[in-house]
Amino acid sequence: MPPHHDGPTTGRPAPARTPGPLPPLPPSLWESREVRQAVRDQAPGAVVAAARRAHGLRQDELGALVGFSQSAVSRLESGSDIAFDLRVLRPLQRLLGIPAALLGLADEGAVPDAGPARRVPPGFADALDGWSARTPTR
């Protein structure tokens, strides 16, 4: 695992940490009006903020646990572009125990269902030889 950084824009390395998850939060938090609205608004930073507050952590304390600065946590929670960076969201999701789907993340063990495998019919590849994508003329 690569070391965590102070923040995506500063590039200063922070001490590598592998904190375990905090105690689980009550399921009612994930069903709260605040979290439901954040999910509807596609605002993962607001979900992180709700979980941080539920754990009784300040932004600087949360940042110290995962190796980010307080300002990086603040930018995430306020909806800056880093709120959509997997390198930022995934460690926070694990530490805070946020269900991955609430942050727009797939569960790490989930494999998308591509449906049943199909065989390519004989001669199909030959039929594609010489075919090129062209814009139809009008």
Side-chain angles (χ1 to χ4, degrees):
M1 177 190 299
H4 294 293
H5 293 280
D6 183 46
T9 58
T10 64
R12 290 193 314 258
R17 301 172 196 263
T18 54
L22 297 170
L25 292 170
S28 60
L29 174 68
W30 312 127
E31 298 163 7
S32 70
R33 172 183 274 175
E34 177 185 13
V35 170
R36 286 193 329 246
Q37 185 64 47
V39 171
R40 265 193 304 273
D41 293 344
Q42 297 180 5
V47 176
V48 170
R52 174 185 58 78
R53 287 191 300 272
H55 278 295
L57 296 170
R58 297 184 318 258
Q59 288 178 341
D60 63 320
E61 293 171 326
L62 175 59
L65 287 171
V66 291
F68 297 130
S69 67
Q70 178 275 326
S71 65
V73 174
S74 175
R75 288 191 314 269
L76 164 87
E77 291 183 0
S78 66
S80 77
D81 287 346
I82 68 168
F84 301 96
D85 188 327
L86 290 176
R87 297 167 297 177
V88 174
L89 286 179
R90 188 59 80 182
L92 291 169
Q93 180 258 324
R94 287 183 192 128
L95 175 74
L96 296 170
I98 301 170
L102 296 181
L103 296 176
L105 303 171
D107 289 328
E108 290 181 278
V111 176
D113 182 12
R118 296 185 183 147
R119 296 188 138 218
V120 175
F124 183 77
D126 296 333
L128 290 178
D129 282 347
W131 179 85
S132 63
R134 290 186 217 139
T135 307
T137 55
R138 294 183 183 169

